[in-house]
Amino acid sequence: MENLLANCVQKNLNHFMFTNAIFLCERLLAQFPSEVNLQLLARCYLSNSQAYSAYYILKGSKMPQSRYLFAFSCFKLDLLGEAEAALLPSEDYVEEVPGGAAGHYLLGLIYRHSGRKNSSIQQFRMALSFDPLCWEAYGELCSLGAAEEASTVFGNVASQRLQITCVEQRINFSEGATVNQLTDSDKASKDTSLWQTEHFPGENQEDLKIKQQPGADIPPDTDRQLNTNGWDLNTPSPVLSQVMDAPSPLLHKNMRRPAVEGSLMSVHGVRARRRNFFSEELSAEALEESGRRRSARIAARKKIPMSQSFGKDSHWLHLSPSETNCAPSLSSVIGKCRTQSSKEAVPDTFTLNDPATTSGQSVSDIGSSVDDEEKSTPSESSPDRFSLISGISEVLNLLKILGDGHRHLHMYNCQEALLAYQKLSQKQYDTHWVLLQVGKAYFELQDYFNADSVFTLAHQKYPYALEGMDTYSTVLYHLKEEMRLGYLAQELISVDRLSPESWCAVGNCYSLRKDHDTALKMFQRAIQLNERFTYAHTLCGHEFAALEEFEDAERCYRKALGIDTRHYNAWYGLGMTYLHREKFEFAQHQFQLALQINPRSSVIMCYYGIALHESKRNDEALMMMEKAVLTDVKNPLPKYYKATILNSLGDYHKAVKVLEELKECAPQESSVHALLGKIYNQLKQYDKAVLHFGIALDLSPSPSDAVKIKTYMERLILPDELATEENL
């Protein structure tokens, strides 16, 4: 009964029938009370978004996995103190952090949410040391600005760690029943128990010993251990090749795949397991020689020419570490396993219990043993091992490229990030995650047209994915695409009304229409859905600033910085509020902090220069404007404010030169012609002044600017009329 109910609960969880799983698990726990069954019920509650229920039933539990589930429940309920206490060692339990990589990652999130940056960085690095495929931990390090280079994180150490993990899992699996002998429900429980053996060192040791014994029956409790720390990694999402002209190099692919997933140790797994697999004593020549001797015996027995028999597997035998991109340790492991299995002489007859065969076999010498091995699994052993190495190499090479691009993007080295993503294969480049990263890189470069094309491709290819659509709506806002922005907002709302990205798109739509009050309500709705959505707090601050409610704007910006101190947009917003309130020294400090995070933003440099100019630090202001111009030649804003500073200093000719260059880049900007009119008025070239004022009025300036321009024109015409009346 216990096994039946447990398997039914697991099946319901796999089929997302959470309420039915809860009902059955309650029956299971009532009939067979144990902490393992309690963990299963907590898993059901968490799957059904009932973290409060899991919190109450797990409170006071001592087993490592119970502590991890309890900490996860506390984290969902924002009880960070209790979550931290459950994960850290104490007098009651002195074991290490439960959950392995998942436990350290969760502890890192707890530290980050509580404002302890250095501790969170340490925990995220620990998570990567436990599991190099814990991509989210590396992503958090990137967002904190503390990530090491991807080639270091996903290098040889990570490769060796994954090889050891995979070999241990294959060995443990080979000692039990084979896949073909298990039912569907048994397969799920077997896979789960294997993950727990690796990641839960504090698990019941007696159960672990039973599971590690060859051919031992697995108790019912051990089959129901929960896979809460296994990393459900999403493959980074897709982009179309038209966006980038550069060809994407192909990643190294597996040349051969085993037909059946067999035991890693094959026939001699039990014997070879007692030896030290990870010795570096055996060279590549010994591996090659061993392969030739085996192939020669097979060819002789089957009466096949030596060259024909050896040629089939020669590719695998001659692969060098550089070709497979694997650590030398596993090559030594495989080589030693093969040579020891083929060289070792067995004086007496013994019986091999191979799960792949129907019964044991008597072997009197090593030659027949090897032949029987090749006869039972002729093509699974060597390709399976090499496919393991090749697979690990492929995954780590992929993560190196993705990590390199992700790290550069968070450091705002956007050009380098784009170059890194171009190295991806076509399949990986055409994924939603990568497409979003490329679009964000163009967005940070203020290349809104390319960003628009990339985000459009992402949305067309994956209309169900809402991640990054808040940035896409901001791109359309800057391009003043009101109709497209409104259509995007309606589409996102129809997909998911409970997504903060959807309401940010709606808010940007109203903001573009100058309806700041309604836009503010939309952004506040996004915050209600996710209080830690940093960008929504920043957008609220922008709307308050547009309504000239600077104190409320400052409050929103500081909330955003409380969530993410590296959100440079909030530092920029704070600087703008101080600049409008003429607190120029405070504004300079905020702009400096923003530039420390994003040193390549010409917009921040420009407004920092304005703050310096208002503080009468004109030389520093001009230097900052020059730096902003060199950083982004296409941005007209630094040139305009440089001309404004030169005009205030009385250097009219240089100001006119800068504006004439700017007029070629931005001929439809009324402010450029208005400033030219003012400078020509100072130079007493009234004809040119009137001409540029007229052009500025024709370009439909804002109402306030139009009033100022008309006032200047009246001042130009009035002296001439007075002079004419005096002459009469």
Side-chain angles (χ1 to χ4, degrees):
M1 179 179 176
E2 186 176 10
N3 287 336
L4 176 63
L5 286 175
N7 289 334
C8 288
V9 171
Q10 291 286 2
K11 185 184 296 184
N12 280 277
L13 288 177
N14 293 336
H15 294 162
F16 308 102
M17 298 176 62
F18 300 133
T19 55
N20 198 57
I22 292 172
F23 174 80
L24 293 176
C25 199
E26 286 177 348
R27 311 284 77 74
L28 173 66
L29 185 61
Q31 189 71 25
F32 304 99
S34 67
E35 191 163 340
V36 174
N37 292 335
L38 191 68
Q39 295 169 7
L40 185 57
L41 181 58
R43 171 79 179 279
C44 296
Y45 283 138
L46 289 171
S47 300
N48 200 38
S49 300
Q50 295 179 233
Y52 50 88
S53 300
Y55 169 82
Y56 282 109
I57 67 172
L58 289 172
K59 196 168 186 177
S61 300
K62 303 299 182 183
M63 287 181 63
Q65 187 166 342
S66 300
R67 289 163 50 203
Y68 173 79
L69 291 173
F70 178 72
F72 187 79
S73 304
C74 294
F75 180 76
K76 287 293 184 181
L77 297 173
D78 203 24
L79 302 175
L80 302 182
E82 291 188 57
E84 180 183 356
L87 290 175
L88 292 178
S90 65
E91 296 179 357
D92 297 331
Y93 31 81
V94 295
E95 298 91 349
E96 59 186 9
V97 175
H104 286 285
Y105 173 72
L106 179 58
L107 191 56
L109 290 179
I110 294 169
Y111 285 144
R112 183 175 184 183
H113 288 191
S114 57
R116 288 174 282 179
K117 179 180 177 181
N118 293 333
S119 298
S120 65
I121 291 173
Q122 181 182 4
Q123 293 302 319
F124 291 138
R125 288 176 176 170
M126 286 291 294
L128 281 171
S129 67
F130 273 79
D131 184 3
L133 299 185
C134 182
W135 170 261
E136 285 298 315
Y138 188 75
E140 292 291 338
L141 289 173
C142 290
S143 63
L144 289 170
E148 300 179 15
E149 292 186 3
S151 58
T152 302
V153 176
F154 305 108
N156 292 332
V157 176
S159 177
Q160 293 175 5
R161 173 67 180 174
L162 288 176
Q163 290 169 14
I164 294 172
T165 302
C166 292
V167 168
E168 288 176 352
Q169 291 173 359
R170 297 287 185 89
I171 292 173
N172 291 336
F173 189 82
S174 66
E175 292 176 352
T178 60
V179 177
N180 295 330
Q181 295 171 340
L182 297 175
T183 63
D184 293 339
S185 59
D186 291 333
K187 289 178 186 177
S189 60
K190 183 71 178 178
D191 292 340
T192 304
S193 65
L194 285 176
W195 279 104
Q196 289 165 344
T197 304
E198 171 62 20
H199 292 291
F200 287 92
E203 192 181 17
N204 189 301
Q205 297 300 319
E206 296 299 326
D207 294 341
L208 289 179
K209 291 178 181 178
I210 295 174
K211 285 192 286 185
Q212 291 173 357
Q213 292 176 1
D217 294 332
I218 300 176
D221 289 348
T222 59
D223 273 341
R224 292 192 303 276
Q225 293 292 334
L226 305 179
N227 183 15
T228 58
N229 68 316
W231 289 99
D232 186 13
L233 296 176
N234 295 325
T235 303
S237 330
V239 165
L240 294 182
S241 59
Q242 296 95 311
V243 180
M244 291 298 192
D245 296 332
S248 302
L250 294 176
L251 293 179
H252 175 69
K253 304 295 181 185
N254 284 342
M255 299 298 296
R256 191 171 175 180
R257 187 181 297 274
V260 180
E261 190 71 19
S263 168
L264 180 66
M265 300 307 298
S266 188
V267 177
H268 296 285
V270 178
R271 291 179 56 84
R273 181 173 174 268
R274 301 169 186 170
R275 304 182 181 93
N276 181 13
F277 288 128
F278 302 97
S279 174
E280 301 291 340
E281 298 174 358
L282 194 61
S283 62
E285 289 79 3
L287 172 62
E288 180 178 354
E289 183 64 25
S290 173
R292 290 186 179 182
R293 286 197 298 271
R294 288 179 52 174
S295 300
R297 286 193 296 272
I298 298 168
R301 178 170 181 173
K302 295 185 178 182
K303 298 181 180 180
I304 298 174
M306 174 65 184
S307 59
Q308 180 180 352
S309 173
F310 181 67
K312 182 177 180 181
D313 291 330
S314 60
H315 169 73
W316 300 105
L317 297 175
H318 289 287
L319 282 178
S320 64
S322 61
E323 292 172 324
T324 57
N325 196 18
C326 61
S329 59
L330 193 60
S331 300
S332 303
V333 172
I334 299 172
K336 189 170 183 178
C337 175
R338 290 167 62 97
T339 54
Q340 286 182 350
S341 298
S342 59
K343 285 183 178 180
E344 185 176 3
V346 183
D348 298 325
T349 301
F350 61 90
T351 301
L352 293 175
N353 294 323
D354 189 358
T357 59
T358 56
S359 60
Q361 296 178 348
S362 296
V363 182
S364 58
D365 61 330
I366 190 60
S368 60
S369 172
V370 174
D371 291 340
D372 290 338
E373 176 188 357
E374 294 296 336
K375 182 177 180 180
S376 60
T377 55
S379 61
E380 294 172 9
S381 178
S382 178
D384 183 66
R385 297 167 189 169
F386 281 101
S387 64
L388 172 64
I389 302 172
S390 179
I392 292 175
S393 176
E394 286 182 28
V395 171
L396 292 180
N397 284 338
L398 176 60
L399 292 182
K400 285 178 186 178
I401 299 174
L402 294 172
D404 192 27
H406 198 54
R407 177 174 173 272
H408 280 304
L409 183 57
H410 278 277
M411 298 300 293
Y412 300 100
N413 303 325
C414 298
Q415 293 289 358
E416 290 83 351
L418 291 174
L419 292 175
Y421 289 130
Q422 288 182 22
K423 299 176 183 178
L424 290 170
S425 66
Q426 189 65 40
K427 292 179 180 180
Q428 292 296 331
Y429 195 79
D430 289 348
T431 53
H432 181 255
W433 187 89
V434 175
L435 186 55
L436 291 184
Q437 303 305 305
V438 173
K440 289 177 181 179
Y442 280 123
F443 173 74
E444 294 295 343
L445 290 171
Q446 297 177 14
D447 189 351
Y448 298 124
F449 291 103
N450 278 327
D452 179 24
S453 64
V454 175
F455 278 117
T456 301
L457 288 172
H459 187 56
Q460 290 175 352
K461 203 172 180 67
Y462 303 92
Y464 53 84
L466 302 184
E467 181 185 359
M469 292 298 101
D470 51 329
T471 307
Y472 182 26
S473 66
T474 305
V475 170
L476 296 178
Y477 173 89
H478 284 293
L479 293 175
K480 302 187 185 303
E481 294 281 355
E482 183 177 346
M483 183 177 297
R484 291 177 58 198
L485 181 55
Y487 181 77
L488 174 67
Q490 290 181 354
E491 194 174 3
L492 296 180
I493 288 294
S494 66
V495 173
D496 187 4
R497 295 182 62 86
L498 300 180
S499 171
E501 290 87 353
S502 302
W503 293 102
C504 283
V506 177
N508 277 331
C509 184
Y510 281 109
S511 180
L512 185 58
R513 299 174 185 174
K514 306 299 180 184
D515 189 355
H516 299 295
D517 290 321
T518 307
L520 186 59
K521 293 178 181 178
M522 300 299 105
F523 295 137
Q524 289 172 344
R525 171 62 174 158
I527 294 173
Q528 289 177 355
L529 293 170
N530 185 357
E531 293 182 356
R532 296 192 61 82
F533 197 69
T534 311
Y535 194 40
H537 288 284
T538 302
L539 292 174
C540 278
H542 292 342
E543 296 306 312
F544 276 122
L547 294 171
E548 296 185 355
E549 299 178 11
F550 297 115
E551 292 183 359
D552 290 331
E554 181 180 349
R555 175 176 50 82
C556 292
Y557 292 136
R558 294 202 179 278
K559 281 186 177 179
L561 292 172
I563 300 170
D564 183 5
T565 56
R566 296 192 76 251
H567 189 61
Y568 78 91
N569 307 78
W571 292 113
Y572 162 76
L574 278 175
M576 293 300 294
T577 58
Y578 289 130
L579 192 62
H580 283 294
R581 288 185 286 178
E582 298 183 355
K583 298 180 179 180
F584 303 120
E585 292 183 357
F586 288 100
Q588 292 170 27
H589 178 66
Q590 308 304 324
F591 289 135
Q592 280 181 336
L593 293 175
L595 282 174
Q596 288 177 5
I597 300 169
N598 185 2
R600 291 173 173 79
S601 175
S602 61
V603 176
I604 300 177
M605 294 178 189
C606 180
Y607 285 106
Y608 182 34
I610 294 173
L612 292 172
H613 170 63
E614 295 294 341
S615 300
K616 308 301 180 183
R617 298 164 63 180
N618 296 316
D619 293 337
E620 296 179 49
L622 285 175
M623 290 177 60
M624 186 57 60
M625 291 300 175
E626 288 288 350
K627 185 178 180 181
V629 171
L630 294 175
T631 301
D632 188 0
V633 181
K634 297 180 180 179
N635 187 4
L637 200 61
K639 295 180 181 179
Y640 175 78
Y641 282 112
K642 178 183 177 181
T644 302
I645 295 174
L646 291 172
N647 178 41
S648 65
L649 295 176
D651 197 345
Y652 302 121
H653 294 286
K654 287 185 178 180
V656 168
K657 183 179 179 181
V658 173
L659 289 174
E660 289 294 338
E661 295 176 357
L662 181 58
K663 187 176 65 173
E664 298 297 327
C665 301
Q668 301 299 319
E669 288 292 336
S670 62
S671 57
V672 175
H673 292 280
L675 184 56
L676 274 172
K678 290 170 62 176
I679 295 175
Y680 281 126
N681 183 28
Q682 295 292 335
L683 294 173
K684 297 183 179 181
Q685 298 180 19
Y686 301 115
D687 294 338
K688 292 184 178 181
V690 172
L691 173 64
H692 285 286
F693 281 136
I695 295 174
L697 287 174
D698 292 338
L699 292 175
S700 302
S702 64
S704 59
D705 289 341
V707 171
K708 294 178 182 179
I709 293 171
K710 290 178 181 179
T711 303
Y712 281 120
M713 292 184 71
E714 290 174 358
R715 291 177 183 175
L716 284 173
I717 297 173
L718 185 59
D720 294 338
E721 293 178 349
L722 292 176
T724 303
E725 291 177 357
E726 291 177 357
N727 292 333
L728 293 175

